[in-house]
Amino acid sequence: MTTSSGTSNGQWFPASWPERIRALTNGELIPVTPRRAATVLLLRDTASGGPAVHMLRRRASMAFAGGAYAYPGGGVDPRDEKPVRWAGRALDAWSAALGVDPVSAQAVVCAAVRETFEESGVLLAGPDGGSVVADTTGESWEADREALVSRELSFADFLARRELVLRSDLLGPWARWITPEFEERRYDTWFFLAMLPTGQRTLDVSGEADHTVWLRPAEAVEGYRRGEMVMMPPTIATLRALLPYDSVGAALAGAADQDLTPVLARAVLEGEEIVLSWPGHEEFTKHIPAPPEHVPAPPQDSVRPQEPAPSKPAPPKPAPPKPGPPKPAPPQGPVPPLGATQ
């Protein structure tokens, strides 16, 4: 894909956006209310130094961000607000950190943990506030995971049945992005960091992904730069924010200093050109020229009227045929006398 600077990279940009931006600017489009959502950057330390992050590639058939690389995550289930056994910072502290009320804060954190388990098999919960489940493989765990995906089972009921405590202390809030107003499917998404628990491993189980991979942030950023990995702006932005850290522990410690002010794209019309930008992230700015049907027509006085082509004369009608000599009358014999027979 090509940015306003003319360089190619993997910035995700739906073909429907320019038309929807013009409709929104002209008052012809009512923005959809964004759904609350959460996503988790699972991290693990590497032998070569620096953390690696777990990423999945969304199936090309997905209605939203098909073919783009992302992290495990998804929308908040209303049942994520149900009380659960909790370890880590209090809900009031999470409320202040996330900028929402305590009930919504619990729902967002629960969604982050639930969606991570649903899409990667990793569970940030344990028998008590100081431990995590050592192994989530096996038929019973897979049956519960599938029941969560199908919404047959709520996350609160899952934790209660397993007698598990949600480990909110294993999450570090990292960023908050809101899908642009002109997008058909909108999400108000909180991004979190989490270390892969000891003994657990990621599973390729997400029905929304066709490929999963562990990459160092620098490798993923380079794949995006070369145009080999398509990513939405929040994905590549959160990856770049990991570049300064040389370990998972350092990144989690840095989460305390992250700015969670929501990032929302802004689109303006400058003449017939669309200028699309994300405040604080100028590298994503795009200048979209007007399509041919929006290019103003030249002034009438500058257009020379076309002279009509001269009409061709009609061909002459053929002359009527000349009369020939009169035909001779047939010969007549003598008239027989009255009463004679022939």
Side-chain angles (χ1 to χ4, degrees):
M1 298 184 182
T2 303
T3 65
S4 58
S5 62
T7 58
S8 296
N9 59 29
Q11 184 172 340
W12 178 72
F13 187 82
S16 62
W17 273 12
E19 182 178 350
R20 294 183 64 83
I21 290 171
R22 294 182 190 279
L24 179 67
T25 304
N26 295 332
E28 301 166 357
L29 179 67
I30 300 175
V32 176
T33 301
R35 288 182 58 197
R36 295 174 300 173
T39 189
V40 175
L41 287 70
L42 276 175
L43 305 175
R44 68 181 184 190
D45 285 317
T46 63
S48 57
V53 60
H54 178 66
M55 303 190 74
L56 51 83
R57 184 177 63 196
R58 294 173 61 82
R59 294 185 183 276
S61 59
M62 295 296 294
F64 181 76
Y69 279 82
Y71 316 114
V76 170
D77 181 339
R79 298 174 298 176
D80 289 331
E81 297 180 355
K82 295 176 64 175
V84 297
R85 294 175 64 196
W86 191 271
R89 67 174 82 183
L91 284 179
D92 286 343
W94 273 113
S95 171
L98 302 183
V100 293
D101 62 86
V103 173
S104 296
Q106 179 197 298
V108 170
V109 172
C110 279
V113 177
R114 174 181 53 76
E115 287 283 344
T116 300
F117 179 58
E118 289 181 12
E119 296 197 351
S120 72
V122 172
L123 182 59
L124 304 177
D128 54 55
S131 63
V132 291
V133 174
D135 183 10
T136 59
T137 60
E139 293 183 1
S140 65
W141 286 105
E142 178 60 15
D144 281 349
R145 191 194 67 80
E146 291 180 352
L148 287 168
V149 172
S150 65
R151 299 296 183 261
E152 296 175 15
L153 179 66
S154 74
F155 193 55
D157 291 342
F158 162 74
L159 292 176
R161 190 170 71 189
R162 293 274 183 176
E163 298 183 343
L164 296 176
V165 178
L166 185 147
R167 293 288 306 278
S168 78
D169 56 314
L170 300 181
L171 291 170
W174 196 242
R176 181 182 178 186
W177 288 65
I178 301 177
T179 314
E181 292 181 322
F182 41 82
E183 172 55 37
E184 298 175 72
R185 295 167 180 81
R186 302 188 63 211
Y187 299 92
D188 183 355
T189 306
W190 284 263
F191 290 74
F192 298 88
L193 303 184
M195 177 183 283
L196 178 69
T198 302
Q200 294 192 35
R201 58 188 177 89
T202 55
L203 304 175
D204 189 1
V205 292
S206 174
E208 298 180 355
D210 59 11
H211 178 63
T212 61
V213 64
W214 282 92
L215 289 173
R216 295 176 63 186
E219 295 172 329
V221 169
E222 180 61 17
Y224 169 88
R225 187 191 65 80
R226 293 195 301 261
E228 298 170 357
M229 298 178 70
V230 176
M231 299 182 201
M232 293 176 284
T235 306
I236 183 63
T238 50
L239 277 172
R240 286 173 175 157
L242 285 172
L243 292 176
Y245 301 99
D246 59 3
S247 68
V248 176
L252 285 168
D257 301 323
Q258 292 298 306
D259 182 6
L260 296 189
T261 302
V263 180
L264 176 64
R266 181 170 55 212
V268 296
L269 281 176
E270 295 185 356
E272 289 296 331
E273 181 184 67
I274 296 172
V275 180
L276 177 60
S277 62
W278 282 260
H281 298 270
E282 287 72 20
E283 68 273 21
F284 301 131
T285 299
K286 280 184 170 291
H287 294 262
I288 308 160
E293 61 268 23
H294 285 276
V295 176
Q300 289 297 319
D301 56 1
S302 66
V303 180
R304 182 178 179 179
Q306 185 176 5
E307 295 291 340
S311 58
K312 295 181 179 179
K317 294 182 178 180
K322 296 181 179 180
K327 294 182 179 180
Q332 295 184 359
V335 177
L338 186 62
T341 59
Q342 295 187 14

